[in-house]
Amino acid sequence: MANGGSRPIAPVRKLIAAVLGTVATFVVLFGLGMTSWAIVALGVALVALAIALGTVQGGGRTWVVGVGHVHSVSEPPTQYAFGRCELQLVIDAPGMPPRTKKIIEPRVPVAKWPSLGQTLPIRVALDDHRHVRVLWDEVP
């Protein structure tokens, strides 16, 4: 099922918009003092950019939950609790055709290391099928 919520605007983005808005206001007032309409136009464009940056939300990804069937998997590490795992998964998610995807997970618990033929819960981005995440917290 897709998540319908929209992501909030990041605080850093709001800060950049505020700083840009302050600089843009200065440029507009500077241009008015010099009676240079080109500088005023530049300042107005910067004000518009600051407002857009601070208010327009970026298009967040829509994720769907599906399953991935393990086709191949690398060997687990013997001395560590976590390891790097290379998986070849057959992805089965609603709204997209089944396909094979190679995934490299940098930190997989050895206790939950997948085996051949195992079914893993995954999240897939609907807009870009290259973004696949294994939900390791939900793996038994």
Side-chain angles (χ1 to χ4, degrees):
M1 179 182 316
N3 62 349
S6 62
R7 297 186 313 190
I9 298 172
V12 173
R13 189 170 163 187
K14 288 181 185 178
L15 177 66
I16 291 172
V19 170
L20 182 63
T22 303
V23 170
T25 303
F26 174 77
V27 170
V28 168
L29 294 176
F30 181 74
L32 287 174
M34 286 182 48
T35 62
S36 171
W37 297 111
I39 294 177
V40 171
L42 175 67
V44 169
L46 287 175
V47 167
L49 178 64
I51 290 171
L53 189 63
T55 58
V56 176
Q57 295 181 355
R61 292 202 188 283
T62 302
W63 297 86
V64 292
V65 176
V67 293
H69 305 285
V70 179
H71 191 277
S72 68
V73 63
S74 60
E75 293 295 321
T78 57
Q79 300 175 352
Y80 302 105
F82 293 91
R84 181 175 180 265
C85 182
E86 293 185 18
L87 295 164
Q88 187 82 21
L89 294 178
V90 177
I91 297 171
D92 184 21
M96 59 184 63
R99 54 179 241 142
T100 303
K101 173 78 172 125
K102 180 181 180 181
I103 300 172
I104 298 174
E105 289 283 335
R107 185 174 163 91
V108 177
V110 174
K112 295 185 177 187
W113 203 267
S115 59
L116 287 177
Q118 183 177 358
T119 301
L120 300 173
I122 60 171
R123 276 189 340 171
V124 183
L126 273 180
D127 60 340
D128 190 356
H129 300 163
R130 294 176 298 172
H131 295 280
V132 177
R133 295 191 180 143
V134 177
L135 304 173
W136 293 108
D137 293 338
E138 298 178 14
V139 174

